[in-house]
Amino acid sequence: MDIFYVVGHKNPDTDSVCSAIALSDYLSKCSTKTNSDEKYEPAIQGEINEETKCALNKFGVETPLILTDATNKKVILVDHNNKMQTLDNIEKAEKIVRVLDHHPINFSYQEQIEFLTMPVGSTATIIAQMYFKENINIDKKIAGLLLSAILSDTVVFKSPTTTDIDKIMAKKLEKIADISNFEVFGLELKKAKASLKNKTPCQIIDADFKEFNMNGCKVGIGQLEVVDFEDFYAIKEQVSSQMKKMKQDKNYTLVLLVFTDILREGSEFLTAGDVDAVKKAFNISTIDGIFLKGMMSRKKQVAPLLENYYNKNQNNKN
Ligand code: MG
Ligand code: MG
Ligand code: MG
């Protein structure tokens, strides 16, 4: 029997975990239809966050197994297509079978591959569409997880990454999942994740951290959703020192943390390293204490602006 591991990115978020589970379910159901002997196993690359835990508990779904190395495995990648965010030893995978994602394309592969991306708010949105289009039955649990992932990635439709398709899919899933008010449910999920209390500076930085290679510069961007900014001010100094240490130890050009207030719909930054890049990329004269209204998305706003800056400023490496 062939086993295919369906896996999301490092530092798993709700979309990457729920999409791995749902796509495994979808592909298993498709393979039953065609009588093929394939097994799809959802996997995660590390511990899940509080928000994801809340979603899995709510719908009674088990946490997927942890897989960090691709050696000799057949893998399907969801919610990422960037080598820096994927499994270790990805070049030693038996095969990358397919990629399903909603991030900018940053991928090359020597073989033919099924590669599907759409400019929508979450990977779960694409999977939900597949179920409906192919008329594959979605059970309540899977609908709940897909809905959770859409609400998580679009920050309950407040993120500029939100599209009409996300909203349409959420409406359909809401009924199947038997959720009476998805906005209330979305905020419940966000609050589970948002608490900064009882977390070490390292845990805060790592919670949702992604690494990028921007024109040869190693850039790390973390994002946290905050419900009460007083919590943020209380930990700011400690987190800042830890970021500086991390920049040195791991040789980053820039470490940027984005603290997003989902109710005021904007963010504050903390940086270590190339402060100049941040000022220029975001057209601000200072970083400390500046609230950037409307700045909600790492994928659509923060990362592209920095990438653009580094592409124009090649010499600025450390
Ligand atoms: Mg993700
Ligand atoms: Mg996503
Ligand atoms: Mg995300």
Side-chain angles (χ1 to χ4, degrees):
M1 184 167 59
D2 278 339
I3 298 182
F4 298 86
Y5 292 93
V6 184
V7 65
H9 51 77
K10 283 194 164 57
N11 272 323
D13 60 10
T14 300
D15 190 29
S16 69
V17 178
C18 295
S19 290
I21 296 169
L23 187 61
S24 302
D25 174 77
Y26 173 89
L27 292 170
S28 303
K29 284 176 176 161
C30 292
S31 84
T32 312
K33 259 190 173 177
T34 57
N35 280 325
S36 75
D37 184 23
E38 289 161 352
K39 188 175 185 302
Y40 296 91
E41 184 71 51
I44 51 178
Q45 291 195 60
E47 291 297 314
I48 58 172
N49 66 37
E50 294 301 319
E51 182 196 275
T52 312
K53 254 180 226 167
C54 175
L56 293 180
N57 282 343
K58 176 139 191 146
F59 298 102
V61 179
E62 274 177 40
T63 308
L65 61 86
I66 291 187
L67 179 76
T68 56
D69 196 300
T71 307
N72 298 330
K73 302 244 175 352
K74 296 189 192 72
V75 295
I76 293 172
L77 309 180
V78 292
D79 198 38
H80 72 293
N81 71 81
N82 184 326
K83 296 245 151 94
M84 294 182 90
Q85 292 159 13
T86 203
L87 295 163
D88 298 338
N89 294 314
I90 192 71
E91 62 291 341
K92 293 184 191 153
E94 184 184 330
K95 192 174 166 59
I96 302 176
V97 181
R98 62 162 93 191
V99 176
L100 194 97
D101 190 22
H102 69 130
H103 291 86
I105 300 170
N106 191 329
F107 193 82
S108 66
Y109 196 51
Q110 68 281 11
E111 287 177 48
Q112 289 181 309
I113 186 170
E114 199 168 318
F115 192 100
L116 177 62
T117 72
M118 284 178 66
V120 290
S122 73
T123 301
T125 307
I126 307 172
I127 300 171
Q129 276 186 296
M130 288 160 55
Y131 273 100
F132 293 121
K133 201 169 154 225
E134 297 299 325
N135 236 327
I136 304 283
N137 172 50
I138 309 185
D139 56 41
K140 188 178 164 184
K141 287 179 179 182
I142 296 292
L145 296 187
L146 287 169
L147 177 63
S148 304
I150 295 174
L151 293 169
S152 167
D153 257 25
T154 63
V155 195
V156 201
F157 304 142
K158 285 176 178 173
S159 167
T161 55
T162 310
T163 67
D164 287 341
I165 306 171
D166 302 309
K167 293 180 181 167
I168 294 165
M169 289 303 125
K171 266 271 159 239
K172 288 188 168 195
L173 293 166
E174 180 190 47
K175 289 200 191 80
I176 306 168
D178 203 13
I179 294 290
S180 56
N181 183 330
F182 65 73
E183 298 222 324
V184 172
F185 173 56
L187 283 176
E188 188 186 308
L189 283 175
K190 286 294 159 198
K191 278 184 187 153
K193 189 183 178 188
S195 176
L196 297 173
K197 292 199 176 109
N198 306 319
K199 287 196 179 117
T200 67
C202 283
Q203 286 171 327
I204 288 170
I205 297 167
D206 286 344
D208 180 4
F209 193 81
K210 285 185 180 169
E211 238 178 68
F212 300 85
N213 178 341
M214 297 190 177
N215 200 15
C217 298
K218 187 175 167 187
V219 176
I221 309 174
Q223 185 169 28
L224 285 108
E225 281 136 13
V226 184
V227 171
D228 183 356
F229 255 60
E230 288 305 317
D231 292 351
F232 163 61
Y233 300 129
I235 50 102
K236 205 169 151 179
E237 288 306 317
Q238 286 166 285
V239 174
S240 198
S241 341
Q242 182 58 37
M243 285 166 69
K244 288 191 183 108
K245 187 175 177 307
M246 183 177 168
K247 185 221 168 278
Q248 295 296 345
D249 294 351
K250 298 190 177 165
N251 213 12
Y252 282 98
T253 303
L254 169 69
V255 178
L256 174 67
L257 275 201
V258 182
F259 290 85
T260 302
D261 186 325
I262 61 175
L263 300 175
R264 282 192 296 156
E265 299 183 29
S267 302
E268 268 193 47
F269 290 165
L270 270 189
T271 56
D274 195 356
V275 177
D276 223 41
V278 180
K279 285 184 187 166
K280 289 197 175 121
F282 297 90
N283 199 16
I284 47 179
S285 56
T286 176
I287 294 167
D288 199 34
I290 297 294
F291 184 76
L292 292 148
K293 184 85 187 155
M295 190 64 64
M296 303 281 287
S297 169
R298 170 172 49 201
K299 178 177 29 235
K300 206 162 186 170
Q301 297 171 307
V302 180
L305 283 168
L306 279 170
E307 187 122 48
N308 189 28
Y309 169 84
Y310 281 111
N311 285 340
K312 286 181 185 155
N313 295 272
Q314 268 180 316
N315 308 326
N316 217 329
K317 295 175 193 169
N318 284 315

